Amino acid sequence: MNVLYHLPILPPKMPEAEALSQEIAALRTAFNGEIVYLNPNETSPVYLPRLAFGWHKLRRVRQMEAEYDLHHFFNPDPFPYPVLLRLRKPVVYSLSSGVEKRPYLPYFSRLAAVTVYDERSYGKLRDWGLTNVHLAQSGIDVSKFTHTAVPLTNKIRLLCASAPWTKAQFRSKGVDALLAAMRLMPRLRLTFLWRGVLYEEMVTRVAQAGVADRVQLINEQADVNEILASVHGTINLASDGAIIKAYPHSLLDSLAAGKPVLVSQAIAMSDYVKEVGCGVVVDEVSAEGVVTAVNEFTERYEALADTAVRVGRDFSQEKMVDSFRRVYEAVTT
């Protein structure tokens, strides 16, 4: 089976460090796929809105279709890109983030399949009347990770590897709440993995919070397994599930290394974390909410860590590929 993959973004500068690019790379290997970037704004003299994405490559994509069995398009939110309806082969539309708002159902009903990564979004779409929705699974290369136990002392060390893309996301992704929590909790130590975007802004905010001596800010390609070997767990926050992957790779990486997680209620993965007991759900993205969750994390740490070790290999790339293979077979047979 041959699959042509599509993304509505500009080509990432470091795809090896970007979660969705990692998943697509695994799928391309399994299904002989190429990737097409549909965002025209890399070369367009004026900014073009999302409704215009892909039209500049439609002729070329139609020529390529003869060599492929289907199209697979990835996007965080359920935006109805018109160009997808002009393709001749079946289109699978994957929603990588949690679904918060009802999509335009007449559009999505015309696609061969819609996939989501979490039961919460799957249930919403089904309740809204979408019948072509499928549940897929996120996956990472679990072989990259090993478990190194870190005894709990009077210091709690956490990794935060979901950096903001905009200044507004310092609040919506919980960075401001984390820095404020550090002022209330002197024993908390945080390591932030950064992407090169808004790095100076982060340096300024860390200094303003007065916690620079307890923050490690890594702004380069790093060995995540090595970092996870030095922390007790990973924290990932968002006040809106639509701005982050339903199953963030930073949390899957953490579990693969046997480290429990802290995740905010708005992120769909929180349902899984609560169900299996591999971490703590942060009820409120605020300094107080973080402090409460970290205190619970430390109180239950031994049991949480044992569970993380037990379930950490469940989110493999092999399982992800198999879940999409079932979707592909469903739309081509």
Side-chain angles (χ1 to χ4, degrees):
M1 183 179 296
N2 298 327
V3 181
L4 188 58
Y5 295 93
H6 304 269
L7 281 171
I9 62 172
L10 299 176
K13 295 180 179 179
M14 291 194 303
E16 66 280 359
E18 200 274 317
L20 193 55
S21 294
Q22 294 170 7
E23 292 194 1
I24 294 174
L27 291 171
R28 289 177 62 193
T29 298
F31 299 106
N32 305 309
E34 292 186 56
I35 188 165
V36 178
Y37 292 96
L38 300 180
N39 190 325
N41 287 303
E42 187 172 35
T43 57
S44 176
V46 296
Y47 178 79
L48 296 173
R50 292 203 286 179
L51 287 172
F53 283 19
W55 293 106
H56 65 304
K57 290 189 175 180
L58 179 59
R59 184 174 181 179
R60 173 58 182 149
V61 170
R62 280 187 164 179
Q63 291 172 342
M64 298 171 69
E65 279 187 309
E67 302 174 13
Y68 293 91
D69 300 294
L70 60 96
H71 301 276
H72 192 168
F73 178 80
F74 288 83
N75 194 53
D77 66 313
F79 184 84
Y81 291 87
V83 71
L84 298 182
L85 299 181
R86 300 296 298 274
L87 302 176
R88 297 188 177 100
K89 294 293 179 69
V91 176
V92 175
Y93 192 128
S94 285
L95 294 164
S96 57
S97 297
V99 177
E100 299 292 334
K101 298 179 181 179
R102 182 195 296 261
Y104 182 56
L105 296 179
Y107 171 89
F108 285 92
S109 297
R110 294 176 62 184
L111 302 174
V114 177
T115 74
V116 292
Y117 288 118
D118 64 287
E119 295 275 4
R120 187 189 300 182
S121 297
Y122 178 81
K124 287 180 181 179
L125 292 173
R126 297 285 295 184
D127 290 344
W128 287 329
L130 198 63
T131 59
N132 60 341
V133 59
H134 299 256
L135 191 62
Q137 178 171 320
S138 286
I140 60 170
D141 184 357
V142 295
S143 68
K144 292 182 177 180
F145 298 94
T146 55
H147 175 58
T148 302
V150 178
L152 194 63
T153 63
N154 62 335
K155 297 177 182 178
I156 179 72
R157 302 181 185 278
L158 299 176
L159 171 65
C160 181
S162 182
W165 293 107
T166 66
K167 284 189 178 182
Q169 287 186 352
F170 278 90
R171 179 185 59 80
S172 60
K173 281 196 168 184
V175 175
D176 289 343
L178 286 168
L179 296 178
M182 294 187 77
R183 299 179 67 176
L184 301 175
M185 184 175 275
R187 62 176 175 157
L188 182 59
R189 304 290 189 273
L190 291 177
T191 296
F192 289 91
L193 277 185
W194 224 247
R195 301 187 179 102
V197 178
L198 297 170
Y199 174 72
E200 295 300 330
E201 177 71 20
M202 180 59 173
V203 171
T204 299
R205 292 184 185 227
V206 169
Q208 289 176 341
V211 295
D213 59 327
R214 291 187 282 130
V215 168
Q216 183 183 19
L217 185 57
I218 301 174
N219 189 39
E220 60 187 9
Q221 190 70 30
D223 185 336
V224 178
N225 184 54
E226 183 178 323
I227 296 171
L228 284 167
S230 66
V231 301
H232 296 99
T234 300
I235 187 165
N236 201 319
L237 304 177
S239 57
D240 181 355
I243 67 172
I244 198 165
K245 279 183 102 282
Y247 276 73
H249 275 207
S250 63
L251 300 186
L252 301 186
D253 293 348
S254 190
L255 294 180
K259 299 302 174 76
V261 301
L262 299 97
V263 54
S264 56
Q265 180 67 43
I267 300 175
M269 186 177 169
S270 64
D271 296 340
Y272 170 85
V273 170
K274 184 181 295 185
E275 179 182 354
V276 304
C278 59
V280 171
V281 176
V282 183
D283 291 329
E284 181 181 282
V285 182
S286 66
E288 293 75 15
V290 170
V291 169
T292 298
V294 171
N295 282 333
E296 180 182 350
F297 184 85
T298 56
E299 291 170 4
R300 300 172 52 203
Y301 183 69
E302 185 174 338
L304 296 176
D306 288 344
T307 303
V309 171
R310 177 172 55 83
V311 305
R313 318 304 274 189
D314 287 351
F315 293 93
S316 66
Q317 285 184 341
E318 291 78 13
K319 290 184 178 180
M320 178 203 66
V321 169
D322 286 343
S323 72
F324 279 114
R325 178 179 285 109
R326 290 190 289 271
V327 177
Y328 296 164
E329 291 174 347
V331 303
T332 56
T333 56

